[in-house]
Amino acid sequence: YNTMLQSSIKLNNRDKMAEVLTHLAKYKIPRNASFCEGVLKQLAGANWAKEALHIYPLLTSDGFAPSAVMCSCMICFAADCGQHETAKHFYSQLCSVATPNLRTFMTMLKVHSKRGDWQASLAVFREMQARNVKIDSHVLNMVMGICASAGMPHEVEQLLAEAEAGDSVFVLPDVVSYNTLVKAYGLSGHFPNAVEVLSRMR
């Protein structure tokens, strides 16, 4: 079956791939996480995100829980297809069994950014802190930017203050970090605060 699936994907034959997986499910051919991981990785390599979301129920119709690798793949597929709730579902499952890698955390931040969901973005950030995942300036600035766009300057200020405190999980904030705080205060009409931040930058 694995050989047939590989051939179907290489030949760009989506119908044959679906046929093979339907046969697997119909006749209850045993599958395991390793097999499913292999299929999802092949689909990722072929950029078949939509197809992966479609065939996932067939892959897992045995009822076993998805592995960390499977969850990570499905998060990326869902994010690529704009299925944000699906991405959140698999992210929750992943966090229950393993620590997501930096790429997965970044994917979820992008999902929440598109939704303008600063609270969910901040929750992902706090999850990274709780799991001692190294937070670089790009991650920090991304979360600050999401909060700034949502009109939450106090949250942006708090994030910057934590970074300035030199927590071991953080790298030092950069110019973009301070500019984001200025933007946050400006968007919310707190102009004196914005000027004060500018003075701190000098």
Side-chain angles (χ1 to χ4, degrees):
Y1 285 100
N2 195 34
T3 300
M4 287 189 287
L5 285 169
Q6 287 179 356
S7 298
S8 299
I9 295 170
K10 286 182 180 179
L11 293 172
N12 202 35
N13 192 331
R14 291 167 170 78
D15 291 338
K16 178 58 68 174
M17 178 196 67
E19 180 184 331
V20 173
L21 290 172
T22 299
H23 188 276
L24 277 169
K26 181 178 179 180
Y27 293 99
K28 301 186 185 316
I29 306 299
R31 281 142 285 156
N32 56 28
S34 179
F35 172 78
C36 295
E37 288 171 7
V39 173
L40 294 177
K41 287 178 180 178
Q42 291 177 61
L43 294 175
N47 293 318
W48 284 13
K50 187 183 298 184
E51 289 76 10
L53 292 171
H54 180 72
I55 60 92
Y56 182 80
L58 291 173
L59 271 181
T60 57
S61 58
D62 277 356
F64 62 86
S67 68
V69 171
M70 291 170 65
C71 288
S72 295
C73 288
M74 294 306 295
I75 290 168
C76 292
F77 292 140
D80 287 345
C81 293
Q83 295 192 20
H84 299 150
E85 290 301 321
T86 301
K88 289 170 63 178
H89 167 74
F90 281 106
Y91 172 73
S92 177
Q93 285 196 305
L94 175 58
C95 286
S96 70
V97 297
T99 296
N101 58 31
L102 182 59
R103 179 186 177 188
T104 300
F105 278 124
M106 289 299 294
T107 298
M108 288 309 302
L109 287 174
K110 290 174 184 176
V111 166
H112 298 317
S113 177
K114 290 178 180 178
R115 294 161 54 92
D117 192 338
W118 69 270
Q119 291 171 307
S121 299
L122 197 54
V124 170
F125 187 82
R126 296 306 183 197
E127 186 72 30
M128 294 178 73
Q129 288 180 300
R131 294 177 184 256
N132 293 315
V133 176
K134 187 69 176 180
I135 296 172
D136 61 20
S137 58
H138 180 61
V139 174
L140 172 65
N141 293 335
M142 187 173 185
V143 178
M144 288 177 66
I146 295 169
C147 292
S149 296
M152 307 302 296
H154 299 299
E155 281 68 20
V156 178
E157 179 76 73
Q158 178 62 37
L159 288 168
L160 181 59
E162 291 176 17
E164 289 177 327
D167 189 300
S168 61
V169 180
F170 281 107
V171 296
L172 292 175
D174 56 19
V175 173
V176 175
S177 309
Y178 291 96
N179 284 337
T180 301
L181 181 56
V182 172
K183 173 186 173 182
Y185 279 129
L187 288 174
S188 60
H190 294 80
F191 300 114
N193 300 78
V195 172
E196 190 273 332
V197 176
L198 287 172
S199 67
R200 284 160 54 186
M201 296 172 63
R202 295 194 182 99

